[in-house]
Amino acid sequence: MEYETPLFFHVMEYADRADRDVIDMVSGNPDWEPPEALRDGLREYADLEPDRFEYPPSDGLRELREEIAARRGVDTEQVIVTNGTGEANYLAMARALERERGDEVILTDPVYPYYPGKTTMLGGTQRFVETDEDGQLDPAVVREAASEETGVIVVNTPNNPTGAVYQAETMEALVDVAEANDAILVSDEVYDHFDLSGTFSSALRYESDHCIVTNGFSKSMASTGLRVGYAVFPEHLIENARSRHMLVNVATTRPGQYAALRSLRETDPAYHEANRELLRDRITAFTDALDAAGAEYTTPEGSFYVMARFEGFDGSLENVERLIDEAGVAGMPGEAFGDSRDDWFRFALVTPQVTEAASRLAAFFE
């Protein structure tokens, strides 16, 4: 089996080699402070007894699983703590496909490119359905695409790369499609704290045994290096998921889980609201500059990404490299996210230099 190296790595390496300063708008690494309780938890952990540095339970610290379960309205036994949301998505897709109900994985276009990569790794077959110009997904299109060959439907809300937030009626209809086709809906909700629209709806509210929800703390706690995520499984899928998790990872970081638990318990909601306000300001500054550059763009309802298209300047890898060399701004080519937006660019607004990046792009396209 051959794997294609994600374009993220190529772009970041190219930017690192540039002969000028380059503003990184490639990576989804929040640049703001993590919660103070998370830092306190890590400091506190360093002084604990030696037995706290042994393997944790494979499915996660009991206290953390209980806290997650209480917040998500599920049973503690449905929760597996994973090595970031990346492993949670792998685990969910793998568990869905090994039911042998079908090897087809329905993905959106545009799509976060790690989902197609995981599909290939797991021996699944990719089938893409396009979203509309705002990134919204029409459940009727998914219903038409689904069949007895469909094993998994993967969605991400709030969405990377479009910034779309799927509303309650969309999520309910997607759960219905999964149930009607005996497929599993995998709902990646890692950006749930960055819902700027107030319309986010978790798939968990529908209590379906055809749904797995994944999430984590990399984005919400500004700690992508912490590597603590989780998946919530229906009861009939949990046992094999635990076994696969144990065989792949044994367990995830004990200090990270301890710190995440303390942060969950002690972080005031004002922390998350302040970060959303910061993003709103950045979106305004960046899209104002895109207006000045005559660009077409998406205004995110959630997450922290903007997709943009410039007339006469397609979103190819070659033009990404031109922007790095000539404008000093590194974004992602649209082709990394599928065929429907291959003439667009994607920019991550998780840099304090958003205003400077916007000015550079406006000047480049002047």
Side-chain angles (χ1 to χ4, degrees), residues 140-153:
V141 176
V142 181
R143 192 179 302 276
E144 184 177 353
S147 70
E148 62 183 12
E149 300 301 319
T150 304
V152 194
I153 302 166

Side-chain angles (χ1 to χ4, degrees), residues 319-332:
N319 281 337
V320 163
E321 293 174 351
R322 277 194 64 191
L323 287 180
I324 290 171
D325 293 333
E326 300 176 34
V329 177
M332 280 297 297

Side-chain angles (χ1 to χ4, degrees), residues 189-206:
E189 301 176 2
V190 72
Y191 296 100
D192 59 350
H193 279 288
F194 300 100
D195 170 28
L196 307 177
S197 67
T199 62
F200 168 78
S201 180
S202 173
L204 284 176
R205 68 184 293 181
Y206 304 107

Side-chain angles (χ1 to χ4, degrees), residues 27-62:
S27 308
N29 285 313
D31 61 289
W32 46 83
E33 278 288 312
E36 187 58 34
L38 185 126
R39 290 186 182 275
D40 290 341
L42 290 172
R43 293 187 191 100
E44 183 177 274
Y45 198 89
D47 294 325
L48 294 181
E49 294 301 313
D51 64 350
R52 296 296 188 95
F53 291 85
E54 297 173 356
Y55 290 118
S58 180
D59 54 3
L61 296 180
R62 181 76 187 185

Side-chain angles (χ1 to χ4, degrees), residues 37-57 60-61 64 81-83 217 221 223 225-229 251-264:
L38 185 126
R39 290 186 182 275
D40 290 341
L42 290 172
R43 293 187 191 100
E44 183 177 274
Y45 198 89
D47 294 325
L48 294 181
E49 294 301 313
D51 64 350
R52 296 296 188 95
F53 291 85
E54 297 173 356
Y55 290 118
L61 296 180
L64 178 57
V81 179
T82 58
N83 185 34
F217 308 111
M221 294 184 182
S223 53
L226 198 69
R227 308 318 303 142
V228 180
T252 193
T253 162
R254 192 166 194 151
Q257 292 183 69
Y258 183 94
L261 174 60
R262 177 159 178 178
S263 187
L264 278 176

Side-chain angles (χ1 to χ4, degrees), residues 26-239:
V26 174
S27 308
N29 285 313
D31 61 289
W32 46 83
E33 278 288 312
E36 187 58 34
L38 185 126
R39 290 186 182 275
D40 290 341
L42 290 172
R43 293 187 191 100
E44 183 177 274
Y45 198 89
D47 294 325
L48 294 181
E49 294 301 313
D51 64 350
R52 296 296 188 95
F53 291 85
E54 297 173 356
Y55 290 118
S58 180
D59 54 3
L61 296 180
R62 181 76 187 185
E63 297 91 337
L64 178 57
R65 293 171 58 229
E66 288 174 343
E67 186 73 22
I68 292 168
R71 289 167 177 266
R72 305 312 304 265
V74 299
D75 189 274
T76 301
E77 298 308 312
Q78 294 179 249
V79 179
I80 298 178
V81 179
T82 58
N83 185 34
T85 311
E87 193 221 340
N89 288 323
Y90 159 79
L91 203 60
M93 294 172 68
R95 186 66 190 93
L97 285 172
E98 70 183 6
R99 301 175 312 133
E100 298 182 352
R101 303 291 192 187
D103 68 356
E104 183 180 81
V105 179
I106 293 180
L107 303 166
T108 62
D109 185 357
V111 66
Y112 176 59
Y114 281 39
Y115 305 143
K118 287 181 170 67
T119 300
T120 299
M121 179 174 67
L122 292 167
T125 303
Q126 302 166 15
R127 177 169 184 144
F128 291 93
V129 294
E130 286 192 23
T131 62
D132 68 17
E133 61 184 10
D134 296 319
Q136 290 294 329
L137 180 61
D138 184 350
V141 176
V142 181
R143 192 179 302 276
E144 184 177 353
S147 70
E148 62 183 12
E149 300 301 319
T150 304
V152 194
I153 302 166
V154 181
V155 297
N156 171 216
T157 176
N159 186 261
N160 174 11
T162 66
V165 175
Y166 301 161
Q167 298 183 10
E169 54 267 29
T170 297
M171 297 306 295
E172 183 175 20
L174 290 172
V175 170
D176 288 344
V177 173
E179 291 178 343
N181 291 276
D182 196 15
I184 298 296
L185 176 68
V186 176
S187 182
D188 179 352
E189 301 176 2
V190 72
Y191 296 100
D192 59 350
H193 279 288
F194 300 100
D195 170 28
L196 307 177
S197 67
T199 62
F200 168 78
S201 180
S202 173
L204 284 176
R205 68 184 293 181
Y206 304 107
E207 299 182 0
S208 172
D209 62 1
H210 285 73
C211 181
I212 303 170
V213 167
T214 64
N215 209 319
F217 308 111
S218 291
K219 312 297 184 179
S220 62
M221 294 184 182
S223 53
T224 54
L226 198 69
R227 308 318 303 142
V228 180
Y230 65 88
V232 179
F233 290 83
E235 292 180 1
H236 69 106
L237 297 179
I238 190 69
E239 284 307 321

Side-chain angles (χ1 to χ4, degrees), residues 177-365:
V177 173
E179 291 178 343
N181 291 276
D182 196 15
I184 298 296
L185 176 68
V186 176
S187 182
D188 179 352
E189 301 176 2
V190 72
Y191 296 100
D192 59 350
H193 279 288
F194 300 100
D195 170 28
L196 307 177
S197 67
T199 62
F200 168 78
S201 180
S202 173
L204 284 176
R205 68 184 293 181
Y206 304 107
E207 299 182 0
S208 172
D209 62 1
H210 285 73
C211 181
I212 303 170
V213 167
T214 64
N215 209 319
F217 308 111
S218 291
K219 312 297 184 179
S220 62
M221 294 184 182
S223 53
T224 54
L226 198 69
R227 308 318 303 142
V228 180
Y230 65 88
V232 179
F233 290 83
E235 292 180 1
H236 69 106
L237 297 179
I238 190 69
E239 284 307 321
N240 279 4
R242 283 198 188 99
S243 297
R244 182 181 285 265
H245 168 66
M246 184 181 297
L247 290 169
V248 170
N249 270 321
V250 180
T252 193
T253 162
R254 192 166 194 151
Q257 292 183 69
Y258 183 94
L261 174 60
R262 177 159 178 178
S263 187
L264 278 176
R265 288 174 170 171
E266 297 181 13
T267 300
D268 192 283
Y271 169 81
H272 300 292
E273 181 54 37
N275 293 333
R276 287 190 289 270
E277 281 303 310
L278 174 65
L279 280 175
R280 290 186 180 99
D281 291 342
R282 289 182 177 182
I283 290 167
T284 298
F286 194 69
T287 56
D288 283 352
L290 293 178
D291 284 328
E296 180 181 355
Y297 56 85
T298 60
T299 301
E301 296 180 326
S303 72
F304 33 67
Y305 305 100
V306 168
M307 299 198 79
R309 176 165 58 182
F310 304 91
E311 186 175 355
F313 194 82
D314 66 73
S316 64
L317 180 59
E318 178 184 3
N319 281 337
V320 163
E321 293 174 351
R322 277 194 64 191
L323 287 180
I324 290 171
D325 293 333
E326 300 176 34
V329 177
M332 280 297 297
E335 65 185 272
F337 304 96
D339 295 334
S340 68
R341 304 290 180 103
D342 60 4
D343 55 344
W344 293 64
F345 299 85
R346 193 212 68 174
F347 300 99
L349 306 186
V350 282
T351 168
Q353 294 180 279
V354 162
T355 302
E356 173 61 20
S359 298
R360 293 184 185 188
L361 288 173
F364 180 83
F365 288 105

